[in-house]
Coordinates of all heavy atoms in Angstrom, one line a residue:
M64 N -0.9 -1.3 14.2 CA -0.6 -2.7 14.3 C -0.7 -3.4 12.9 O -1.7 -3.3 12.2 CB -1.5 -3.4 15.3 CG -1.3 -4.9 15.3 SD -2.2 -5.8 16.6 CE -3.7 -4.9 17.0
S65 N 0.3 -4.1 12.4 CA 0.3 -4.7 11.1 C -0.2 -6.2 11.3 O 0.0 -6.8 12.3 CB 1.6 -4.7 10.5 OG 2.6 -5.4 11.2
R66 N -0.8 -6.6 10.2 CA -1.4 -8.0 10.2 C -0.3 -9.0 9.8 O 0.6 -8.6 9.1 CB -2.5 -8.1 9.2 CG -3.7 -7.2 9.6 CD -4.8 -7.3 8.7 NE -4.4 -6.9 7.3 CZ -5.0 -7.3 6.2 NH1 -6.0 -8.2 6.3 NH2 -4.6 -6.9 5.0
T67 N -0.4 -10.2 10.3 CA 0.5 -11.2 9.9 C 0.2 -11.7 8.5 O -0.9 -11.5 8.0 CB 0.5 -12.4 10.9 OG1 -0.8 -13.0 10.7 CG2 0.7 -12.0 12.3
T68 N 1.2 -12.4 7.9 CA 0.9 -13.0 6.6 C -0.3 -13.9 6.6 O -1.1 -13.9 5.7 CB 2.2 -13.7 6.1 OG1 3.3 -12.8 6.0 CG2 2.0 -14.3 4.7
S69 N -0.4 -14.7 7.6 CA -1.5 -15.7 7.6 C -2.8 -14.9 7.8 O -3.8 -15.4 7.2 CB -1.3 -16.7 8.8 OG -1.3 -16.1 10.0
E70 N -2.9 -13.8 8.5 CA -4.1 -13.0 8.6 C -4.5 -12.4 7.3 O -5.6 -12.4 6.9 CB -3.9 -11.9 9.7 CG -3.9 -12.4 11.1 CD -3.5 -11.3 12.1 OE1 -2.7 -10.4 11.7 OE2 -3.9 -11.4 13.2
M71 N -3.4 -11.9 6.6 CA -3.7 -11.4 5.2 C -4.2 -12.4 4.3 O -5.1 -12.2 3.5 CB -2.5 -10.7 4.7 CG -2.1 -9.4 5.4 SD -0.7 -8.5 4.7 CE 0.7 -9.4 5.3
Q72 N -3.6 -13.6 4.3 CA -4.0 -14.7 3.5 C -5.4 -15.1 3.7 O -6.2 -15.4 2.8 CB -3.1 -15.9 3.6 CG -1.7 -15.7 2.9 CD -0.8 -16.9 3.2 OE1 -0.8 -17.6 4.2 NE2 0.1 -17.1 2.2
R73 N -5.8 -15.2 5.0 CA -7.2 -15.5 5.4 C -8.2 -14.5 4.8 O -9.2 -14.8 4.3 CB -7.4 -15.7 6.9 CG -6.8 -17.0 7.4 CD -7.2 -17.3 8.9 NE -6.8 -16.2 9.8 CZ -5.7 -16.2 10.4 NH1 -4.8 -17.2 10.2 NH2 -5.4 -15.3 11.3
G74 N -7.8 -13.2 5.0 CA -8.6 -12.2 4.5 C -8.8 -12.2 2.9 O -9.9 -12.1 2.4
L75 N -7.7 -12.4 2.3 CA -7.7 -12.5 0.8 C -8.5 -13.8 0.3 O -9.2 -13.7 -0.6 CB -6.3 -12.6 0.2 CG -5.6 -11.2 0.1 CD1 -4.1 -11.4 -0.1 CD2 -6.2 -10.4 -0.9
T76 N -8.3 -14.9 1.1 CA -9.1 -16.1 0.7 C -10.6 -15.8 0.8 O -11.4 -16.2 0.0 CB -8.7 -17.2 1.6 OG1 -7.3 -17.5 1.4 CG2 -9.5 -18.5 1.3
A77 N -11.0 -15.2 1.9 CA -12.4 -14.9 2.1 C -12.9 -13.9 1.0 O -14.0 -14.1 0.5 CB -12.6 -14.2 3.5
Y78 N -12.1 -13.0 0.6 CA -12.5 -12.0 -0.4 C -12.6 -12.8 -1.7 O -13.6 -12.6 -2.5 CB -11.5 -10.9 -0.5 CG -11.8 -9.9 -1.6 CD1 -12.7 -8.9 -1.3 CD2 -11.3 -10.0 -2.9 CE1 -13.0 -7.9 -2.2 CE2 -11.6 -9.0 -3.8 CZ -12.5 -8.0 -3.5 OH -12.9 -7.1 -4.5
L79 N -11.7 -13.6 -2.1 CA -11.7 -14.4 -3.3 C -12.9 -15.4 -3.3 O -13.5 -15.6 -4.4 CB -10.4 -15.2 -3.5 CG -9.2 -14.3 -3.9 CD1 -7.9 -15.1 -3.8 CD2 -9.3 -13.7 -5.3
Q80 N -13.2 -16.0 -2.2 CA -14.4 -16.9 -2.1 C -15.6 -16.1 -2.5 O -16.5 -16.6 -3.3 CB -14.5 -17.5 -0.7 CG -13.4 -18.5 -0.5 CD -13.4 -18.9 1.0 OE1 -13.8 -18.2 1.9 NE2 -12.8 -20.1 1.2
G81 N -15.8 -14.9 -1.9 CA -17.0 -14.1 -2.3 C -17.0 -13.7 -3.7 O -18.0 -13.7 -4.4
Y82 N -15.8 -13.3 -4.2 CA -15.7 -12.9 -5.6 C -16.0 -14.0 -6.5 O -16.7 -13.8 -7.5 CB -14.2 -12.4 -5.8 CG -14.0 -11.8 -7.2 CD1 -14.2 -10.5 -7.5 CD2 -13.5 -12.7 -8.2 CE1 -14.0 -10.0 -8.8 CE2 -13.3 -12.2 -9.5 CZ -13.5 -10.9 -9.8 OH -13.3 -10.4 -11.0
G83 N -15.5 -15.2 -6.2 CA -15.7 -16.4 -7.1 C -17.1 -16.8 -7.1 O -17.6 -17.4 -8.1
R84 N -17.9 -16.6 -6.0 CA -19.3 -17.0 -6.0 C -20.1 -16.2 -7.0 O -21.0 -16.7 -7.6 CB -19.9 -16.8 -4.6 CG -19.6 -18.0 -3.7 CD -20.5 -17.9 -2.4 NE -20.1 -16.8 -1.5 CZ -19.1 -16.9 -0.6 NH1 -18.4 -18.1 -0.5 NH2 -18.8 -15.9 0.2
N85 N -19.7 -15.0 -7.2 CA -20.4 -14.1 -8.1 C -19.7 -14.0 -9.5 O -20.4 -13.5 -10.4 CB -20.4 -12.7 -7.5 CG -21.2 -12.7 -6.3 OD1 -22.3 -13.2 -6.2 ND2 -20.6 -12.1 -5.2
N86 N -18.5 -14.5 -9.6 CA -17.8 -14.3 -10.9 C -16.7 -15.4 -11.0 O -15.5 -15.2 -10.9 CB -17.2 -12.9 -11.0 CG -16.5 -12.6 -12.3 OD1 -16.4 -13.5 -13.2 ND2 -16.1 -11.4 -12.5
S87 N -17.2 -16.6 -11.4 CA -16.2 -17.7 -11.5 C -15.2 -17.5 -12.6 O -14.0 -17.9 -12.5 CB -16.9 -19.1 -11.6 OG -17.6 -19.2 -12.8
A88 N -15.6 -16.9 -13.7 CA -14.7 -16.7 -14.8 C -13.7 -15.7 -14.4 O -12.5 -15.8 -14.7 CB -15.5 -16.1 -16.0
G89 N -14.1 -14.7 -13.6 CA -13.1 -13.7 -13.1 C -12.1 -14.3 -12.2 O -10.9 -14.0 -12.2
L90 N -12.6 -15.2 -11.3 CA -11.7 -15.9 -10.4 C -10.7 -16.8 -11.2 O -9.5 -16.8 -10.8 CB -12.5 -16.7 -9.4 CG -11.7 -17.4 -8.3 CD1 -10.9 -16.4 -7.5 CD2 -12.6 -18.2 -7.4
S91 N -11.2 -17.4 -12.2 CA -10.3 -18.2 -13.1 C -9.2 -17.3 -13.7 O -8.0 -17.7 -13.8 CB -11.1 -18.9 -14.2 OG -11.9 -19.9 -13.6
A92 N -9.6 -16.1 -14.1 CA -8.6 -15.2 -14.7 C -7.6 -14.8 -13.7 O -6.4 -14.7 -14.0 CB -9.4 -14.0 -15.3
I93 N -8.1 -14.5 -12.5 CA -7.1 -14.1 -11.4 C -6.2 -15.3 -11.1 O -5.0 -15.0 -11.0 CB -7.9 -13.8 -10.1 CG1 -8.7 -12.5 -10.3 CG2 -7.0 -13.7 -8.9 CD1 -9.7 -12.2 -9.3
A94 N -6.6 -16.5 -11.1 CA -5.8 -17.6 -10.8 C -4.8 -17.8 -11.9 O -3.6 -18.3 -11.7 CB -6.6 -18.9 -10.7
A95 N -5.1 -17.5 -13.2 CA -4.2 -17.7 -14.3 C -3.2 -16.6 -14.5 O -2.2 -16.8 -15.2 CB -5.0 -18.0 -15.6
Y96 N -3.5 -15.4 -14.0 CA -2.7 -14.2 -14.3 C -1.4 -14.4 -13.6 O -1.3 -14.7 -12.4 CB -3.4 -13.0 -13.8 CG -2.8 -11.7 -14.1 CD1 -2.7 -11.2 -15.4 CD2 -2.2 -10.9 -13.1 CE1 -2.1 -10.0 -15.8 CE2 -1.6 -9.7 -13.4 CZ -1.5 -9.3 -14.8 OH -0.9 -8.1 -15.1
G97 N -0.3 -14.2 -14.3 CA 1.0 -14.4 -13.8 C 1.8 -13.2 -13.3 O 2.9 -13.4 -12.8
A98 N 1.3 -12.0 -13.4 CA 2.1 -10.8 -13.1 C 1.6 -10.1 -11.9 O 1.7 -8.9 -11.8 CB 2.1 -9.9 -14.3
W99 N 1.0 -10.8 -10.9 CA 0.5 -10.1 -9.7 C 1.5 -9.4 -9.0 O 1.3 -8.2 -8.5 CB -0.2 -11.1 -8.8 CG -1.6 -11.5 -9.4 CD1 -1.9 -12.8 -9.8 CD2 -2.7 -10.7 -9.6 NE1 -3.2 -12.7 -10.3 CE2 -3.7 -11.5 -10.2 CE3 -2.9 -9.3 -9.4 CZ2 -5.0 -11.0 -10.5 CZ3 -4.2 -8.8 -9.7 CH2 -5.2 -9.6 -10.3
P100 N 2.8 -9.9 -8.8 CA 3.8 -9.1 -8.0 C 4.1 -7.8 -8.7 O 4.2 -6.7 -8.1 CB 5.0 -10.0 -8.0 CG 4.4 -11.4 -8.1 CD 3.2 -11.2 -9.0
V101 N 4.2 -7.8 -10.0 CA 4.5 -6.5 -10.8 C 3.3 -5.6 -10.6 O 3.5 -4.4 -10.4 CB 4.8 -6.9 -12.3 CG1 4.9 -5.6 -13.1 CG2 6.0 -7.7 -12.4
L102 N 2.1 -6.1 -10.8 CA 0.9 -5.2 -10.7 C 0.8 -4.7 -9.3 O 0.4 -3.5 -9.1 CB -0.3 -6.0 -11.1 CG -1.5 -5.2 -11.5 CD1 -1.3 -4.2 -12.6 CD2 -2.7 -6.2 -11.9
A103 N 1.0 -5.5 -8.3 CA 0.9 -5.0 -6.9 C 2.0 -4.0 -6.6 O 1.7 -3.0 -5.9 CB 1.0 -6.2 -6.0
A104 N 3.2 -4.1 -7.1 CA 4.2 -3.1 -6.9 C 3.8 -1.8 -7.5 O 4.0 -0.8 -6.9 CB 5.6 -3.6 -7.5
R105 N 3.2 -1.9 -8.7 CA 2.8 -0.6 -9.3 C 1.7 0.0 -8.5 O 1.7 1.2 -8.3 CB 2.3 -1.0 -10.7 CG 2.0 0.3 -11.6 CD 1.5 -0.1 -13.0 NE 2.5 -1.0 -13.6 CZ 2.1 -2.0 -14.4 NH1 0.8 -2.2 -14.7 NH2 3.0 -2.8 -14.9
E106 N 0.8 -0.8 -8.0 CA -0.3 -0.2 -7.2 C 0.2 0.4 -5.9 O -0.2 1.4 -5.4 CB -1.3 -1.3 -6.8 CG -2.5 -0.9 -5.9 CD -3.4 0.1 -6.5 OE1 -3.4 0.3 -7.8 OE2 -4.1 0.8 -5.7
A107 N 1.2 -0.3 -5.3 CA 1.8 0.3 -4.1 C 2.5 1.6 -4.3 O 2.3 2.6 -3.6 CB 2.9 -0.7 -3.5
E108 N 3.1 1.7 -5.5 CA 3.7 3.0 -5.9 C 2.7 4.1 -6.1 O 2.8 5.2 -5.6 CB 4.5 2.8 -7.2 CG 5.8 2.1 -7.1 CD 6.9 2.8 -6.3 OE1 7.0 4.1 -6.5 OE2 7.6 2.2 -5.6
Q109 N 1.6 3.7 -6.7 CA 0.5 4.7 -6.9 C -0.1 5.2 -5.6 O -0.4 6.4 -5.4 CB -0.6 4.1 -7.8 CG -0.1 3.9 -9.3 CD -1.1 3.2 -10.1 OE1 -2.1 2.6 -9.6 NE2 -0.9 3.1 -11.4
R110 N -0.3 4.3 -4.7 CA -0.8 4.6 -3.4 C 0.1 5.6 -2.6 O -0.3 6.5 -1.9 CB -1.2 3.4 -2.5 CG -2.3 2.6 -3.1 CD -2.7 1.5 -2.3 NE -3.7 0.7 -3.0 CZ -4.5 -0.2 -2.3 NH1 -4.4 -0.4 -1.0 NH2 -5.4 -0.9 -3.0
M111 N 1.4 5.3 -2.7 CA 2.4 6.2 -2.0 C 2.4 7.5 -2.7 O 2.5 8.6 -2.1 CB 3.8 5.6 -2.1 CG 4.0 4.4 -1.2 SD 3.8 4.8 0.6 CE 2.4 3.7 1.0
A112 N 2.2 7.5 -4.0 CA 2.2 8.8 -4.8 C 0.9 9.6 -4.4 O 1.0 10.9 -4.3 CB 2.1 8.5 -6.3
R113 N -0.2 8.9 -4.1 CA -1.4 9.7 -3.7 C -1.1 10.4 -2.3 O -1.7 11.4 -2.1 CB -2.6 8.7 -3.6 CG -3.1 8.5 -5.0 CD -4.5 7.9 -5.0 NE -4.6 6.5 -4.5 CZ -4.3 5.4 -5.3 NH1 -4.1 5.6 -6.6 NH2 -4.4 4.2 -4.8
F114 N -0.3 9.8 -1.5 CA 0.0 10.5 -0.2 C 0.7 11.8 -0.5 O 0.4 12.8 0.0 CB 0.9 9.6 0.7 CG 1.5 10.3 1.8 CD1 0.7 10.6 2.9 CD2 2.8 10.8 1.8 CE1 1.2 11.3 4.0 CE2 3.3 11.5 2.9 CZ 2.5 11.8 4.0
L115 N 1.7 11.7 -1.5 CA 2.4 12.9 -1.8 C 1.5 14.0 -2.4 O 1.8 15.2 -2.3 CB 3.6 12.6 -2.8 CG 4.7 11.8 -2.3 CD1 5.7 11.5 -3.4 CD2 5.4 12.6 -1.2
E116 N 0.5 13.6 -3.1 CA -0.5 14.5 -3.8 C -1.1 15.4 -2.7 O -1.5 16.5 -3.0 CB -1.5 13.8 -4.5 CG -1.0 13.2 -5.8 CD -2.1 12.3 -6.5 OE1 -3.2 12.2 -6.0 OE2 -1.8 11.7 -7.5
S117 N -1.2 15.0 -1.5 CA -1.9 15.8 -0.4 C -1.0 16.8 0.2 O -1.4 17.7 0.9 CB -2.4 14.8 0.6 OG -1.4 14.2 1.3
L118 N 0.3 16.7 -0.1 CA 1.3 17.7 0.4 C 1.5 18.9 -0.4 O 1.3 18.9 -1.6 CB 2.7 17.0 0.6 CG 2.7 15.7 1.4 CD1 4.1 15.1 1.4 CD2 2.3 16.0 2.8
P119 N 1.8 20.0 0.2 CA 2.1 21.2 -0.6 C 3.3 21.0 -1.5 O 4.2 20.2 -1.2 CB 2.5 22.3 0.5 CG 1.9 21.8 1.7 CD 1.9 20.3 1.6
L120 N 3.4 21.7 -2.6 CA 4.5 21.5 -3.6 C 5.9 21.7 -3.0 O 6.8 20.9 -3.3 CB 4.3 22.4 -4.8 CG 5.3 22.3 -5.9 CD1 5.4 20.8 -6.4 CD2 5.0 23.2 -7.0
D121 N 6.0 22.7 -2.1 CA 7.3 23.0 -1.6 C 7.8 21.8 -0.7 O 9.0 21.5 -0.7 CB 7.4 24.3 -0.8 CG 6.5 24.4 0.4 OD1 5.5 23.6 0.4 OD2 6.7 25.2 1.2
E122 N 6.9 21.1 0.0 CA 7.3 19.9 0.8 C 7.7 18.8 -0.1 O 8.7 18.1 0.1 CB 6.2 19.5 1.7 CG 6.0 20.6 2.8 CD 4.8 20.2 3.7 OE1 4.2 19.2 3.5 OE2 4.5 21.0 4.6
V123 N 6.9 18.6 -1.2 CA 7.3 17.5 -2.2 C 8.6 17.8 -2.8 O 9.5 16.9 -2.9 CB 6.2 17.4 -3.3 CG1 6.6 16.4 -4.4 CG2 4.8 17.0 -2.6
Q124 N 8.9 19.0 -3.2 CA 10.2 19.4 -3.8 C 11.3 19.1 -2.8 O 12.4 18.7 -3.1 CB 10.2 20.8 -4.3 CG 9.3 21.0 -5.5 CD 9.1 22.4 -5.9 OE1 9.1 23.3 -5.1 NE2 8.9 22.6 -7.2
A125 N 11.1 19.5 -1.5 CA 12.1 19.3 -0.5 C 12.4 17.8 -0.3 O 13.6 17.4 -0.1 CB 11.7 19.9 0.8
I126 N 11.4 16.9 -0.4 CA 11.6 15.5 -0.3 C 12.4 15.0 -1.5 O 13.3 14.2 -1.4 CB 10.2 14.8 -0.2 CG1 9.6 15.1 1.2 CG2 10.4 13.2 -0.3 CD1 8.1 14.7 1.3
A127 N 12.0 15.5 -2.7 CA 12.6 15.1 -3.9 C 14.1 15.5 -4.0 O 15.0 14.8 -4.5 CB 11.9 15.7 -5.1
Q128 N 14.4 16.6 -3.3 CA 15.8 17.2 -3.3 C 16.6 16.7 -2.1 O 17.7 17.2 -1.9 CB 15.8 18.7 -3.4 CG 15.2 19.2 -4.7 CD 14.8 20.7 -4.7 OE1 15.0 21.3 -3.7 NE2 14.3 21.1 -5.8
L129 N 16.0 15.7 -1.4 CA 16.7 15.1 -0.2 C 16.9 16.1 0.9 O 17.8 15.9 1.8 CB 18.0 14.4 -0.6 CG 17.8 13.3 -1.7 CD1 19.2 12.8 -2.1 CD2 16.9 12.2 -1.2
E130 N 16.2 17.2 0.9 CA 16.3 18.2 2.0 C 15.5 17.7 3.2 O 15.8 18.0 4.4 CB 15.8 19.6 1.6 CG 16.6 20.2 0.5 CD 15.9 21.4 -0.1 OE1 14.9 21.9 0.5 OE2 16.4 21.9 -1.2
I131 N 14.5 16.9 3.0 CA 13.6 16.3 4.0 C 13.6 14.8 3.7 O 13.4 14.4 2.6 CB 12.2 16.9 4.0 CG1 12.2 18.3 4.4 CG2 11.3 16.0 4.9 CD1 10.8 19.0 4.3
N132 N 13.9 14.0 4.8 CA 13.8 12.6 4.7 C 12.5 12.1 5.3 O 12.3 12.1 6.5 CB 15.0 12.0 5.4 CG 15.1 10.5 5.3 OD1 14.1 9.8 5.2 ND2 16.3 10.0 5.2
L133 N 11.6 11.8 4.4 CA 10.2 11.4 4.8 C 10.3 10.1 5.7 O 9.5 9.9 6.6 CB 9.3 11.2 3.6 CG 7.8 11.1 3.9 CD1 7.3 12.2 4.8 CD2 7.0 11.0 2.6
N134 N 11.2 9.2 5.3 CA 11.3 7.9 6.1 C 11.7 8.2 7.6 O 11.1 7.7 8.5 CB 12.4 7.0 5.5 CG 12.0 6.5 4.1 OD1 12.5 7.1 3.2 ND2 11.2 5.5 4.0
E135 N 12.6 9.1 7.7 CA 13.0 9.5 9.1 C 11.9 10.2 9.9 O 11.7 9.8 11.0 CB 14.2 10.4 9.1 CG 15.5 9.7 8.7 CD 16.7 10.7 8.7 OE1 16.6 11.9 9.2 OE2 17.8 10.3 8.3
L136 N 11.2 11.1 9.2 CA 10.1 11.8 9.9 C 9.0 10.8 10.3 O 8.5 10.9 11.4 CB 9.5 12.9 9.0 CG 10.4 14.1 8.8 CD1 9.7 15.1 7.8 CD2 10.6 14.8 10.1
A137 N 8.7 9.9 9.4 CA 7.6 8.9 9.7 C 8.1 8.0 10.8 O 7.3 7.7 11.7 CB 7.3 8.1 8.4
S138 N 9.3 7.6 10.8 CA 9.8 6.8 11.9 C 9.8 7.5 13.3 O 9.5 6.9 14.3 CB 11.3 6.3 11.6 OG 11.3 5.5 10.5
Q139 N 10.1 8.8 13.3 CA 10.0 9.6 14.5 C 8.6 9.6 15.0 O 8.4 9.5 16.2 CB 10.6 11.0 14.2 CG 12.0 11.1 14.0 CD 12.5 12.5 13.6 OE1 11.7 13.4 13.5 NE2 13.7 12.7 13.2
V140 N 7.7 9.9 14.1 CA 6.3 9.9 14.5 C 5.8 8.6 15.1 O 5.1 8.5 16.1 CB 5.4 10.4 13.3 CG1 3.9 10.3 13.7 CG2 5.7 11.8 13.0
L141 N 6.2 7.5 14.4 CA 5.9 6.2 14.9 C 6.4 5.9 16.3 O 5.7 5.4 17.2 CB 6.4 5.1 14.0 CG 5.6 4.8 12.7 CD1 6.4 3.9 11.8 CD2 4.3 4.2 13.0
A142 N 7.6 6.3 16.5 CA 8.3 6.2 17.9 C 7.5 7.0 18.9 O 7.3 6.5 20.0 CB 9.7 6.6 17.8
E143 N 7.2 8.2 18.6 CA 6.4 9.1 19.5 C 5.0 8.5 19.8 O 4.6 8.5 20.9 CB 6.2 10.5 18.9 CG 7.5 11.3 18.8 CD 7.3 12.5 17.9 OE1 6.2 12.8 17.4 OE2 8.4 13.2 17.7
Q144 N 4.4 7.9 18.8 CA 3.0 7.4 19.0 C 3.1 6.1 19.9 O 2.2 5.9 20.7 CB 2.4 7.1 17.7 CG 1.9 8.3 16.9 CD 1.3 8.0 15.6 OE1 1.4 6.9 15.1 NE2 0.6 9.0 15.1
S145 N 4.1 5.3 19.7 CA 4.2 4.1 20.5 C 4.6 4.4 21.9 O 4.4 3.6 22.8 CB 5.2 3.1 19.8 OG 6.5 3.6 19.7
A146 N 5.2 5.5 22.1 CA 5.6 5.9 23.5 C 4.4 6.5 24.3 O 4.5 6.6 25.5 CB 6.7 7.0 23.4
E147 N 3.4 6.9 23.6 CA 2.2 7.5 24.2 C 1.4 6.4 25.0 O 1.3 5.3 24.7 CB 1.3 8.1 23.2 CG 1.9 9.3 22.6 CD 1.1 10.0 21.4 OE1 0.1 9.4 21.0 OE2 1.5 11.0 21.0

């Protein structure tokens, strides 16, 4: 189950409140930093890459060569799980 945007915002606000209590200069830097979307996109790519690191090389190569569609496989598994 995915969280709503408002749930994520509440969670991030709580995290930032705790962070800011211990590091107000750091919180100021976070507030002033303008490239969060770019940095977050890079982090998302790295996290997806870490998933691939757990797979055998032949499976990674098959995904890279479009022999296996990971999106389709994941969607099939999601559908199976929701049917259970």
Side-chain angles (χ1 to χ4, degrees):
M64 169 174 33
S65 63
R66 298 181 299 152
T67 66
T68 300
S69 62
E70 289 170 330
M71 289 186 283
Q72 287 177 330
R73 284 192 301 273
L75 281 167
T76 298
Y78 182 83
L79 289 167
Q80 288 168 339
Y82 183 88
R84 276 193 289 277
N85 297 309
N86 186 353
S87 64
L90 185 58
S91 293
I93 290 169
Y96 186 69
W99 286 115
V101 173
L102 196 57
R105 189 177 311 142
E106 178 65 20
E108 288 288 324
Q109 290 172 352
R110 291 183 186 199
M111 291 295 119
R113 283 195 288 276
F114 171 78
L115 290 177
E116 289 173 2
S117 67
L118 301 178
L120 180 58
D121 61 340
E122 291 176 3
V123 173
Q124 289 172 327
I126 294 166
Q128 295 167 359
L129 303 175
E130 295 169 13
I131 293 176
N132 185 322
L133 191 57
N134 297 98
E135 285 181 9
L136 288 177
S138 294
Q139 288 172 6
V140 171
L141 281 170
E143 291 167 4
Q144 288 179 344
S145 62
E147 293 176 351

